[in-house]
Amino acid sequence: MPAIKSRLGLSKSKIAGARALAAKIAAPVQKYIERHTTVTVERATLRLLGADGADKDGVPVPNIVVAQCGEAAAGGAARTYINALVKRSSTTEQLNEEIAAGLDITAIPAADEKQIKARASDLVERLDARISGNVKFRRERLAEWKDAEKSPLIYVIVATGNIYEDVKQARAAALQGADIVAVIRTTAQSLLDYVPYGATTEGFGGTYATQENFRVMRKALDEVAAQERRYIRLVNYCSGLCMPEIAAMGALERLDMMLNDSMYGILFRDINMYRTFTDQYFSRMINAAAGITINTGEDNYLTTSDAIEKAHTVLASQFINERFAFNAGMPAGLMGLGHAFEIDPATKNGFLYEYAQALMAREIFPVHPLKYMPPTKFMTGDIFKGYAMNTLFNFVSKATGQSIELLGMLTEAIHTPYLQDRYLAIASARYVHENIAGFSSEIEFRKGGVIRKRAARVLDETVAMLREVEKAGIFDAIERGMFAEVKRPKDGGKGFDGVFEKAPGYWNPAEDYLRRRLKITR
Amino acid sequence: MFIKPYGDTLDDGAVQLSFTLPVACGGRAKEGARQYVLKLGFRHAEIVHAHPLSPEFTFFVAYARTDIALDYSKVEYAEAVDKSMTMDQVNDYIRANFKRKLVVIGACTGTDAHTVGIDAIMNMKGYNHHFGLERYPMIEALNLGSQVPNERLLELARRHKADAVLVSQIVTQKDVHIHNLTNLIELAEAEKLRDKLVMVIGGPRVNNKLAKELGYDAGFGAGTYAEDVATFIVKKLSRTLLKK
Ligand code: B12
């Protein structure tokens, strides 16, 4: 990423102050996280160790095991699974089949502790080989095709509901110049407390995230990448009730990016806050270990609230997301902090405010692969005006050095993108990116001008907000509706019954491995 | 009165089209696209742009002319309201005609999670400098938010003795809104609530005609403000009261 010298004259000490506040805000949450586990953290652990498959009713093996464990899951479900592997001297594949066929593994007598530990380190070794192999493969392709890498990376979405149809659209998009393909999830998958199994051909507004669907799309994108000699990144949604499990599947199947926000589920999906915080931590460790770039969801603050009035909520959330990610051992280079171009197009000087906000994000988060989202809320059936709005968005994106640009679709207000919509979006983005390639190094901003003043003001408002959140404590702040104007009670929301305090002697070899790999000290 | 599309001369019938065909780009593809446009009933067609989307797909921009005309005098469409009152006028109207506050309950129902539309109509702040119903002194407005089951909306309508129910439907893929709105009307009828309530729908892909077809009193599309709905509700209620 090109280093951009400060053009906004933002106060370094205010930025440092905001970071310090974010660290204070996250600290008590982190304490809570360390003492707790959840059903999906346990299921993700099992998946990392080899649990997979589903029974004849479609219940996934990891869910069966955690359900069998019941309260004992608080001690770590891995022990039960590995114990069964040792006692029955079976491979994970054999055991998975037996579990799917009805075997109750909690009824199996305890094996010798040494054997359990030995088997665990075999499984972890296999896991490490898989993850390291994926990281290496990606690194090598990126190095080999370095010259094809442009900035910002062009990100498009496919969402037909049918993974095989998605493949056709994704392939076409890659050929047209897309660098990143996201497969949107079907409506309401985020509220399922399990990950469906196998390839799927029916979805609503999107396609199910399943491990097999990941594999199908990965293979297709690798093929086009080889043909185009340009690495094509695959994205999915690591959010909702199965955050860590989706991360695990992504790590195994070499996804490159995951939507992954520390508070999105709480605010926008009404998932319990303790559940979300605990889940985001484990999911981020997995993403970090697998070299997966996360995309945070700050754009959502602006689709529900006014983008000028609430600009500081975006920056505040970016600081908080950054801190939680650091706490999970994630390097800044994997933090695709989100923001969006959502100011009412009727606003005088709206473009200047957008510019200020985007450049501010770039200067405050200099090495982070920022994820910039297009206009959506003010897109209407006037596709021609929408195309013009997207052109301005493309301009700001390139001129302010954004890293990941989710392209706006001229038909945003109408339907999920047609093949031609994506082409038109990519054509406009490439035109703008090329045409203003050297623009950012040509201009400076007037002291006391609209852009500098706007950025300074948003930063001030952010510091004030973080101070308030810190004073209230983040759990109370969310309860009182300080984020996104939604109030979420602490014990409310979905998934709270799936949170456990870790029992004494809690054991999780996958977590131990991740901590080692990421050098996180307790 | 017969009408045709207007390009630059009355009755030239000029139309602009863009579409994708599942064929490789090239001269044959362009000719195929042109013939296809003619098959749609156009008289003259010109493919002005063709671009490959992949080896199997091509995007076309076409201009064409048509002889087909429409008898506009036969087209019927009634807007839900002809001229909307202002917020103050609505409140005065309620004071004068009902002598009590009106109760309006709204929600985005079914699986639909979009709240911004119903908030624009109902919340204090409103939308585009037009206040929402919560601001109306003579309206008791209750916004239930999104993903509200139809049963719950009706239950609360009964409990609060609502005068009107507002339903927002934003997602229309696979006609989910039709299924959901039909379900709501059927429930309201089964619970003998339909005649007691003014029932209004809204969303960017719905309109007054669809609302009527589905058994609602009115439907509002993109760009609606609270005063539009409020005007409809008070006029409709006063008409029903007069009948009694
Ligand atoms: C913001 C947004 C979201 C946010 C919603 C946040 C929130 N709290 O509301 C989030 C990110 C959660 C979201 C999720 C999804 N979304 Co969405 N979303 C949008 C977006 C960008 C803007 C909608 C909006 O806020 N408009 C602004 C308001 C003010 O306008 P409005 O809703 O039209 O309301 C006005 C009028 O219609 C009318 N009105 C509306 N309701 C009512 C009710 C009454 C009674 C009256 C009188 C009037 C009225 O008055 C309002 C003011 O004038 C639109 C695209 C677009 N530009 O329209 C897509 C869009 C609506 N979403 C879409 C989809 C597909 C989804 C998802 C299914 C995606 C997925 N796969 O997960 C999910 C749905 C989840 C679910 N269960 O519903 C599609 C819908 C396609 C279709 N026609 O079916 C759209 C069009 C985007 C697209 N091109 O794909 N979305």
Side-chain angles (χ1 to χ4, degrees):
Chain A
M1 191 171 319
I4 295 176
K5 79 168 202 285
S6 173
R7 294 200 177 82
L8 294 173
L10 291 167
S11 155
K12 286 217 173 73
S13 66
K14 280 182 189 166
I15 297 171
R19 284 215 159 82
L21 283 166
K24 276 197 190 160
I25 289 167
V29 184
Q30 202 57 41
K31 275 212 182 108
Y32 176 90
I33 294 168
E34 310 269 327
R35 291 200 314 269
H36 290 80
T37 184
T38 71
V39 283
T40 179
V41 165
E42 294 308 316
R43 297 192 303 249
T45 302
L46 294 170
R47 284 181 186 275
L48 290 172
L49 298 175
D52 195 10
D55 73 7
K56 59 179 186 331
D57 300 321
V59 183
V61 166
N63 287 66
I64 300 175
V65 174
V66 171
Q68 285 179 0
C69 288
E71 302 272 293
R79 178 178 295 278
T80 309
Y81 185 73
I82 299 172
N83 185 63
L85 285 173
V86 173
K87 275 301 209 192
R88 300 179 71 85
S89 6
S90 47
T91 62
T92 49
E93 289 74 17
Q94 286 162 343
L95 184 63
N96 292 340
E97 270 172 36
E98 287 174 331
I99 294 169
L103 173 71
D104 179 0
I105 60 170
T106 52
I108 298 171
D112 170 49
E113 186 67 15
K114 259 208 217 120
Q115 280 180 299
I116 293 181
K117 291 279 153 73
R119 192 63 197 265
S121 52
D122 290 349
L123 295 176
V124 163
E125 215 170 282
R126 184 173 73 171
L127 171 65
D128 180 55
R130 176 92 171 248
I131 290 182
S132 300
N134 285 343
V135 170
K136 182 161 173 269
F137 183 92
R138 180 193 301 117
R139 197 190 325 110
E140 286 175 358
R141 292 293 88 69
L142 282 170
E144 183 185 351
W145 299 325
K146 198 167 77 241
D147 295 340
E149 193 86 345
K150 299 217 175 71
S151 175
L153 294 170
I154 290 179
Y155 178 128
V156 297
I157 280 165
V158 297
T160 68
N162 178 334
I163 190 65
Y164 302 106
E165 207 61 40
D166 285 343
V167 159
K168 287 186 208 156
Q169 306 236 347
R171 199 179 281 139
L175 291 175
Q176 289 153 18
D179 303 298
I180 308 175
V181 174
V183 182
I184 296 272
R185 279 196 302 183
T186 177
T187 304
Q189 183 173 1
S190 60
L191 299 182
L192 299 180
D193 214 339
Y194 66 94
V195 183
Y197 181 76
T200 67
T201 53
E202 259 170 64
F204 186 81
T207 307
Y208 281 100
T210 71
Q211 196 166 338
E212 183 57 27
N213 285 351
F214 285 6
R215 215 172 285 144
V216 169
M217 187 57 88
R218 175 76 279 169
K219 184 163 167 281
L221 293 185
D222 282 349
E223 283 164 13
V224 215
Q227 191 183 327
E228 291 281 286
R229 305 197 58 74
R230 183 162 47 89
Y231 188 67
I232 311 292
R233 293 162 175 82
L234 175 56
V235 189
N236 213 285
Y237 287 62
C238 190
S239 59
L241 283 168
C242 293
M243 251 189 198
E245 287 178 272
I246 304 262
M249 291 157 35
L252 297 173
E253 303 303 336
R254 187 168 37 84
L255 266 75
D256 304 289
M257 288 185 189
M258 284 284 184
L259 284 264
N260 185 250
D261 191 281
S262 58
M263 297 193 290
Y264 174 85
I266 309 170
L267 300 172
F268 302 104
R269 286 287 181 260
D270 197 13
I271 295 173
N272 175 264
M273 56 175 94
Y274 296 105
R275 170 75 176 258
T276 296
F277 281 129
T278 311
D279 289 347
Q280 63 85 30
Y281 174 64
F282 199 62
S283 70
R284 284 179 175 191
M285 284 203 290
I286 299 170
N287 286 331
I292 293 175
T293 300
I294 60 165
N295 293 185
T296 60
E298 281 80 1
D299 49 294
N300 292 286
Y301 292 92
L302 303 185
T303 47
T304 41
S305 307
D306 182 80
I308 293 187
E309 261 169 54
K310 299 289 176 186
H312 62 285
T313 62
V314 168
L315 183 56
S317 170
Q318 288 172 328
F319 278 120
I320 293 172
N321 259 314
E322 180 194 47
R323 175 39 60 188
F324 277 120
F326 276 136
N327 288 351
M330 179 169 280
L334 291 180
M335 296 179 198
L337 300 176
H339 60 136
F341 187 101
E342 286 282 15
I343 293 174
D344 184 343
T347 310
K348 187 173 174 197
N349 279 337
F351 176 78
L352 304 194
Y353 298 139
E354 297 287 12
Y355 206 116
Q357 181 89 14
L359 190 55
M360 178 188 69
R362 177 35 84 219
E363 292 194 356
I364 294 176
F365 304 102
V367 297
H368 308 56
L370 295 178
K371 158 94 172 287
Y372 198 31
M373 304 283 287
T376 62
K377 186 161 92 175
F378 290 100
M379 295 292 280
T380 65
D382 184 351
I383 54 171
F384 303 101
K385 175 166 185 202
Y387 203 57
M389 285 162 66
N390 285 332
T391 306
L392 284 194
F393 163 71
N394 291 334
F395 189 107
V396 175
S397 179
K398 177 69 183 175
T400 61
Q402 303 302 310
S403 316
I404 301 165
E405 181 184 351
L406 193 153
L407 296 192
M409 293 292 139
L410 78 171
T411 52
E412 167 63 35
I414 307 163
H415 47 231
T416 45
Y418 284 178
L419 201 57
Q420 65 206 41
D421 301 343
R422 237 178 263 112
Y423 153 70
L424 290 167
I426 294 171
S428 164
R430 294 182 75 172
Y431 156 65
V432 174
H433 293 177
E434 271 307 298
N435 250 266
I436 66 159
F439 183 80
S440 74
S441 50
E442 290 291 322
I443 58 162
E444 284 177 12
F445 296 101
R446 200 157 60 79
K447 255 197 197 140
V450 178
I451 290 188
R452 279 187 177 221
K453 268 173 43 195
R454 171 70 188 162
R457 176 165 168 193
V458 174
L459 178 57
D460 284 345
E461 288 174 357
T462 302
V463 173
M465 175 176 174
L466 288 172
R467 209 171 272 140
E468 260 179 68
V469 172
E470 197 263 326
K471 218 163 69 198
I474 195 159
F475 296 112
D476 286 283
I478 295 172
E479 203 164 47
R480 279 188 229 157
M482 286 169 70
F483 291 96
E485 303 170 86
V486 288
K487 298 180 179 164
R488 299 295 189 204
K490 288 180 199 166
D491 55 2
K494 294 151 195 116
F496 190 33
D497 54 357
V499 183
F500 307 102
E501 189 165 355
K502 287 178 181 168
Y506 175 83
W507 182 58
N508 186 332
E511 184 180 355
D512 294 341
Y513 156 72
L514 291 169
R515 283 172 181 275
R516 270 198 314 279
R517 190 177 163 112
L518 299 168
K519 303 192 174 59
I520 307 175
T521 46
R522 271 180 217 257
Chain B
M1 179 201 168
F2 280 83
I3 54 165
K4 275 197 229 167
Y6 181 104
D8 64 0
T9 312
L10 190 65
D11 286 339
D12 60 14
V15 167
Q16 119 201 347
L17 299 157
S18 64
F19 56 92
T20 299
L21 291 177
V23 294
C25 195
R28 180 159 168 238
K30 277 168 101 168
E31 177 54 17
R34 196 187 67 84
Q35 289 187 19
Y36 188 76
V37 174
L38 293 177
K39 276 197 136 182
L40 293 175
F42 291 98
R43 168 165 49 86
H44 173 84
E46 196 182 350
I47 302 299
V48 298
H49 181 67
H51 189 90
L53 300 182
S54 80
E56 306 105 59
F57 290 99
T58 304
F59 174 60
F60 303 95
V61 179
Y63 279 85
R65 287 167 195 267
T66 177
D67 284 334
I68 300 171
L70 175 82
D71 184 355
Y72 193 57
S73 60
K74 298 238 168 75
V75 175
E76 281 175 36
Y77 185 86
E79 296 289 357
V81 279
D82 289 331
K83 192 171 179 313
S84 296
M85 295 188 255
T86 65
M87 175 167 93
D88 292 341
Q89 287 169 337
V90 167
N91 286 308
D92 291 344
Y93 190 95
I94 299 176
R95 277 188 207 100
N97 289 277
F98 304 101
K99 303 186 175 59
R100 66 171 176 89
K101 285 189 176 189
L102 298 181
V103 180
V104 179
I105 293 197
C108 185
T109 74
T111 55
D112 203 324
H114 295 84
T115 54
V116 183
I118 191 74
D119 288 352
I121 301 297
M122 299 199 74
N123 286 9
M124 199 63 89
K125 198 165 87 185
Y127 180 61
N128 227 347
H129 310 293
H130 293 250
F131 289 130
L133 298 180
E134 285 177 1
R135 251 308 153 94
Y136 288 50
M138 291 308 291
I139 290 180
E140 193 94 60
L142 185 62
N143 180 357
L144 304 179
S146 65
Q147 295 191 316
V148 175
N150 286 330
E151 291 79 2
R152 184 168 158 72
L153 175 63
L154 292 179
E155 181 198 315
L156 287 170
R158 189 192 290 280
R159 195 182 315 153
H160 291 271
K161 301 202 172 53
D163 296 290
V165 161
L166 304 184
V167 191
S168 179
Q169 292 287 273
I170 310 300
V171 178
T172 58
Q173 279 168 356
K174 301 190 184 160
D175 284 342
V176 263
H177 63 309
I178 309 273
H179 300 301
N180 185 51
L181 290 168
T182 307
N183 170 266
L184 176 62
I185 278 288
E186 284 169 358
L187 279 173
E189 271 160 12
E191 296 187 24
K192 311 238 174 323
L193 274 171
R194 179 64 194 96
D195 298 335
K196 301 195 181 94
L197 292 169
V198 175
M199 293 182 76
V200 174
I201 63 173
R205 303 265 92 75
V206 307
N207 62 28
N208 200 37
K209 182 159 177 278
L210 177 74
K212 294 273 175 59
E213 281 166 13
L214 296 176
Y216 289 79
D217 295 306
F220 292 85
T224 306
Y225 298 123
E227 59 263 32
D228 305 325
V229 198
T231 302
F232 177 81
I233 294 172
V234 297
K235 290 272 170 76
K236 171 82 186 165
L237 280 171
S238 75
R239 259 179 276 139
T240 351
L241 285 185
L242 283 180
K243 258 193 253 157
K244 278 183 190 163

